[in-house]
Amino acid sequence: SRRIRCGGSPSELTPWDWPTPQCPLGLIWLAKTLHPELFQNLDPLTEANKFYKEFYGHTFTELGGSL
């Protein structure tokens, strides 16, 4: 049996839960956390960096975000 620690948003920069524009990032993180074997090729940090660059002009990492 696998145990997963439940807590708040994985992002220390902005919340990734409803209702924010970053909500899809929270779903990506949750999918990877709950089912890493199904989402081996998915990297939440890479997806966050692409999202933030597209919509905010800077990557998640550039803005000080970390997971």
Side-chain angles (χ1 to χ4, degrees):
S1 152
R2 178 174 49 164
R3 289 186 177 209
I4 298 174
R5 191 179 121 226
C6 294
S9 174
S11 168
E12 295 177 2
L13 188 60
T14 59
W16 285 3
D17 53 1
W18 185 260
T20 70
Q22 297 85 356
C23 181
L25 297 174
L27 296 175
I28 290 169
W29 173 83
L30 186 61
K32 179 74 172 192
T33 299
L34 294 178
H35 300 287
E37 69 284 354
L38 297 176
F39 298 98
Q40 293 177 19
N41 297 326
L42 188 61
D43 179 22
L45 184 57
T46 298
E47 297 303 319
N49 280 326
K50 290 192 296 188
F51 179 94
Y52 275 75
K53 185 70 171 179
E54 174 74 22
F55 294 103
Y56 301 112
H58 298 281
T59 68
F60 179 68
T61 306
E62 287 173 344
L63 294 171
S66 64
L67 300 179

